Amino acid sequence: MATQVKKASNRKSPAWRIQLHQLPLGLRRGAASIVEISLVVASALVPYSIGLVAKSCTGTWPCTATETVPLNPVLANTKDAIAQTLAVPRRDTNQQVPPLTNLLWCAALAAPVLVVGRQLYLLGKKGQTSPKRSLGVQVVTESGDPPGLIRAVWREGLGRWGLPFTTAYLIWRYSGAFPDLGILLGLAALMWLGENAIALFDPERRTLHDRIAGTFVIDSATFTPYPEADRGIPLRSKKPVTLEVQSSWSEADDQRHEKVTTIVLSSGSRGRKLHLWYWMRQHPGTMLLIAAVSTMIAILGTFVGTQIYIQNQANWRDAKQQNNKVFLALVNQLSQSYPYQIEERRSAILALARLEDSRAVPFLVDLLGQEVAPRLIDTTQQALVSVGPKALPYLQRLNLALQKDEALLRGSALEERQLIARRLGATKRAIAKILSIYTTQIQNTDLSRTNLDKVTTEPAPFTLVLDKTDLSRIQFKGANLTGASLRGSRFFGAGEDGRLGTFDDWIADLSGADLKEANLTDAFLSQVPLNRTNLIRATLNRANLSNAQLVGANLSSAKLIEADLRQAVLENASLTGADLGDANLTKSNLSGARLGKVRAVGTKFDFALLTQSNWQGADMTEAQLRNANLQNADLSSTKLTRANLSEAQLQNAKFRNANLSAADLRGANLEGADFQGATFADAKPRQPDQFIQELPPAASSARVKGVDFSKVKNLETKQIRFICDQGGLHPRCE
């Protein structure tokens, strides 16, 4: 029997560690788990938080560079995978971040993996992670040895985390609680606590993951190793073996101030375990029968499968050969028939559309781009409509080509220009009909830059009418949809899971599209990208634009009566002359927007970001601007009668010649605001023979009680007198 001499130093453990080791084992075990989780979370949270700071700030450390780059592909794929698993909606599909943010977020992704790997290695080799070692907790097998790396991964990955969280996820996903993340977190916490709480009712104080991995959690400070003869006996039935060793000093020990305190026996042989090979040797007859039956099944299955495959391939070749003959015959008929043989050519075109051949659709589209007879152009268009959604990519490419031809032929002969217009009109009609007929069969169709604008002149008048149509799976980026009728249409729909607000939602992209004078009344445009979209004179009454992206969009003279624009992003957008009557823009972002002469009667701007926006000449009667941020906004000559500006941020805002009668300014911050020529109350008109003007009625007076006007600019004497009379604060008030 081999022995190992274990020496102990005279150095004593810190007092705090001794006190911790005196706590109950269960309490120390729970504390170790919390510390382990905290280490993993902190390793990801710290670099991620610094990365967020680097992304949001500019000019100072850690913002060392102002340029941005695309998000690292590994980060983007990880983000998508997490979002898809947790049903989180997609945001910022083309996210741009500073290079430092990319580096820090990569570190946030790698650090938890390194921390978990290190702790698993320590658990497998020594039975103790760093927190467990500090708290005097150790994980061992029945033989008293450390669990080993494979058993440690099995214990932590499956038993401790995998089983509880997978159970919680499945309950959340299929019980109707999906996609509420709060319920998922609650279920995960309950499952994790329940899995650990099993130890309270177990006589050996073992949790489920300990039973799955065959491990025990012991107090490392009091654990006594066992001799080699007891290695095969389960830990629960062992009795400690005490060896009496007389401590003795030697010269070497005297120099090192150490002495022999214990003798640790090395591990010996393990108990016999049942393995598959052992069972096979004990039952040779059964194994022979199983092998014979398996071989026969494999041979029979291979033979049947081969015959089925050969027959299917033969049938496929015959069908393909037959289709090829028909296709060549129809193409030959079209090439040999004369242009005036209209009926023969029409029959061949319609037959091609019904043919199951991958070459038929490209051929028909090419034919549409070359046909000169109006009747045959219409027939080809109808044939492509009957083909369905698979014709859309080819029609879109032909549409783009005809747009270029139309631009190049300006100034050419009228007949040639009309022919191009007729072909272009045919592609428009075909695309519109396919979108309206095959709505449920369209998947991620790209119609970017497609010309579907309204034409009122001959020879090809066209108006896109897709009212109450689901267009959520179509990309219209940069498309020309001028004058389109899209009343009640949906551009945002539930994905495969049938629920809005999840990862697989279908969201159309209208960025850069031309929707001038389009009718989008009652349209559902929530979450839809509309950045730099042209919506001049468009009708968006009662449209749902909540959370929509309208950065740089042009909404001049647009009608947005009762539209829902909550949390919409309209940075640097133009709404000059737009009608926002009774619209809801709560928590929207209109920073830098141009809203001159806008009509916003009764519009809600509560908690909206309106910094540096321009409202000159706007009608904001009864507008709700509670807690809105209007710093540096230009509200000159605006009508703010009965507007609610309570608790608003109005630093350095311009109210020159603005009408603030009956407006509520209580709690607003007016530091640096310019009130030159502003009206706080509608004065009662004087009679012709009346010398003294009467005080304005209280109902028309602005509410300024308690409002600090001490740091505002350009106040006139009569304005100060009104402020003082109404209970406002100013240095010249008595």
Side-chain angles (χ1 to χ4, degrees), residues 33-43:
S33 298
I34 293 173
V35 174
E36 288 166 354
I37 297 171
S38 300
L39 285 174
V40 177
V41 173
S43 66

Side-chain angles (χ1 to χ4, degrees), residues 350-412:
L350 295 174
L352 271 173
R354 294 191 296 269
L355 187 64
E356 292 293 333
D357 193 296
S358 59
R359 297 168 295 176
V361 175
F363 180 83
L364 286 172
V365 174
D366 290 341
L367 186 64
L368 178 60
Q370 300 172 17
E371 192 59 69
V372 295
R375 287 185 61 189
L376 292 179
I377 290 176
D378 293 340
T379 300
T380 308
Q381 171 229 308
Q382 295 170 9
L384 289 168
V385 171
S386 66
V387 169
K390 63 182 178 182
L392 283 175
Y394 303 99
L395 284 167
Q396 191 252 359
R397 285 194 286 269
L398 178 60
N399 184 282
L400 295 176
L402 291 172
Q403 287 182 64
K404 294 179 181 179
D405 291 345
E406 189 177 45
L408 292 172
L409 291 174
R410 288 176 183 170
S412 301

Side-chain angles (χ1 to χ4, degrees), residues 627-631 645 647-651 653 667-669:
N627 296 95
N629 189 340
L630 282 151
Q631 296 182 35
L645 288 156
E647 306 295 335
Q649 301 297 315
L650 300 169
Q651 297 94 314
N669 188 338

Side-chain angles (χ1 to χ4, degrees), residues 257-519:
H257 301 285
E258 295 177 340
K259 64 181 180 179
V260 178
T261 58
T262 59
I263 295 179
V264 181
L265 303 179
S266 63
S267 60
S269 60
R270 301 289 188 268
R272 176 175 292 180
K273 298 181 179 180
L274 290 178
H275 296 286
L276 179 61
W277 177 248
Y278 178 79
W279 183 87
M280 291 168 60
R281 291 177 61 187
Q282 295 295 322
H283 305 82
T286 305
M287 285 304 306
L288 183 61
L289 178 62
I290 293 173
V293 172
S294 300
T295 303
M296 291 178 61
I297 292 173
I299 294 173
L300 184 60
T302 303
F303 176 77
V304 173
T306 303
Q307 293 299 317
I308 293 173
Y309 175 77
I310 292 172
Q311 186 61 43
N312 287 337
Q313 289 295 310
N315 295 338
W316 178 78
R317 283 194 298 269
D318 291 342
K320 187 175 181 181
Q321 186 176 7
Q322 185 64 26
N323 284 338
N324 185 57
K325 291 180 180 179
V326 175
F327 176 78
L328 293 177
L330 292 172
V331 171
N332 187 47
Q333 181 180 347
L334 286 170
S335 61
Q336 290 184 357
S337 58
Y338 294 99
Y340 55 82
Q341 295 176 322
I342 302 297
E343 293 304 323
E344 289 80 357
R345 295 177 66 84
R346 288 184 72 246
S347 300
I349 291 169
L350 295 174
L352 271 173
R354 294 191 296 269
L355 187 64
E356 292 293 333
D357 193 296
S358 59
R359 297 168 295 176
V361 175
F363 180 83
L364 286 172
V365 174
D366 290 341
L367 186 64
L368 178 60
Q370 300 172 17
E371 192 59 69
V372 295
R375 287 185 61 189
L376 292 179
I377 290 176
D378 293 340
T379 300
T380 308
Q381 171 229 308
Q382 295 170 9
L384 289 168
V385 171
S386 66
V387 169
K390 63 182 178 182
L392 283 175
Y394 303 99
L395 284 167
Q396 191 252 359
R397 285 194 286 269
L398 178 60
N399 184 282
L400 295 176
L402 291 172
Q403 287 182 64
K404 294 179 181 179
D405 291 345
E406 189 177 45
L408 292 172
L409 291 174
R410 288 176 183 170
S412 301
L414 177 61
E415 183 179 354
E416 191 171 2
R417 285 188 282 114
Q418 287 183 341
L419 180 59
I420 296 297
R422 194 181 297 277
R423 292 170 180 167
L424 183 59
T427 64
K428 293 179 182 180
R429 290 192 297 274
I431 292 172
K433 289 180 180 178
I434 292 173
L435 294 180
S436 61
I437 296 171
Y438 302 95
T439 303
T440 58
Q441 301 177 28
I442 296 171
Q443 297 288 342
N444 300 321
T445 301
D446 188 1
L447 294 177
S448 300
R449 304 182 306 280
T450 306
N451 186 352
L452 296 168
D453 64 335
K454 184 176 182 178
V455 178
T456 57
T457 59
E458 294 292 341
F462 171 78
T463 301
L464 180 64
V465 180
L466 291 171
D467 295 338
K468 297 182 179 179
T469 306
D470 187 355
L471 301 171
S472 58
R473 286 171 280 188
I474 314 237
Q475 304 305 311
F476 290 105
K477 194 172 183 179
N480 189 344
L481 303 170
T482 302
S485 179
L486 302 164
R487 297 170 58 94
S489 294
R490 296 182 63 90
F491 295 85
F492 172 43
E496 297 295 337
D497 59 15
R499 297 176 182 271
L500 290 175
T502 58
F503 178 81
D504 63 349
D505 290 340
W506 293 316
I507 304 177
D509 191 346
L510 289 162
S511 298
D514 191 347
L515 284 157
K516 184 171 59 177
E517 299 179 355
N519 191 339

